Every structure is written in C-alpha cells, then in structure tokens.
Amino acid sequence: MALSFFWIGVGLAALGYFIGDGLKNFKNPKGSGYPTLINEKDLPIYFGLSKEEILELLRKYPNAPKIELNGTTYFPYHQFLEWLSSNDIYKN
C-alpha cells in the first residue's frame, strides 16, 4: 500500500515539474526556436545556402548586420533575416 502512494507521489511530482517547465515560456512563445546570434560558419545551415554562396553574399554586401566578439563574427538571426528579405540589397 505504501509503495503505491510512493508512485502516485512520484507521478504528481513529475507532472508538476513538466507543467512548471512548460509555463516558463508561456508569455514568450518566440523564446525557443532560433538562436539570437549565429556564428559565421553556421550561416549556410540556417539559410539553406552553400558555403560559397554565403561567402559571396558577405563579400558582395559587407554592410550585413553583424557583431564581432573576440575576433569571431556573429550575425543576429532576426536582423540578418530582415536585411536579407528587404529590398535594399536587391536594388543594385
């Protein structure tokens, strides 16, 4: 009898943990999904382009939004996506 109460208690504790974990991002559904900063070497993975195409894009448009920290170049995902989909780079 005491063993069954133990498993009910473990189940309720697990239920509480998972519900509490799910409520962390309740008001921030965009909190998970895509990273905020993308390393330059990971750009082809996130944008579906080849490594050569990304290098050509960055060479041709050096004004792409980026951040340099400790010698490593990072690109803000949302800003880079907005810049890539804007009409500014397609006017030339």
Side-chain angles (χ1 to χ4, degrees):
M1 183 78 158
L3 191 61
S4 63
F5 285 127
F6 172 75
W7 288 112
I8 290 173
V10 169
L12 287 175
L15 179 69
Y17 172 77
F18 289 117
I19 288 176
D21 194 43
L23 290 176
K24 284 182 189 174
N25 291 327
F26 183 70
K27 293 204 177 210
N28 186 16
K30 294 182 182 177
S32 60
Y34 295 102
T36 303
L37 295 176
I38 300 174
N39 196 327
E40 184 175 6
K41 67 180 176 68
D42 295 333
L43 282 176
I45 297 169
Y46 287 97
F47 292 102
L49 299 171
S50 69
K51 185 176 180 180
E52 293 79 22
E53 291 170 331
I54 289 289
L55 290 174
E56 175 70 17
L57 178 72
L58 296 176
R59 185 190 60 76
K60 200 171 188 180
Y61 300 102
N63 61 339
K66 61 185 168 192
I67 298 170
E68 290 191 27
L69 299 171
N70 293 332
T72 306
T73 304
Y74 297 98
F75 293 88
Y77 177 77
H78 294 290
Q79 289 177 343
F80 192 81
L81 189 60
E82 287 176 14
W83 172 80
L84 195 59
S85 62
S86 70
N87 290 331
D88 296 338
I89 64 173
Y90 300 109
K91 289 181 181 178
N92 293 337

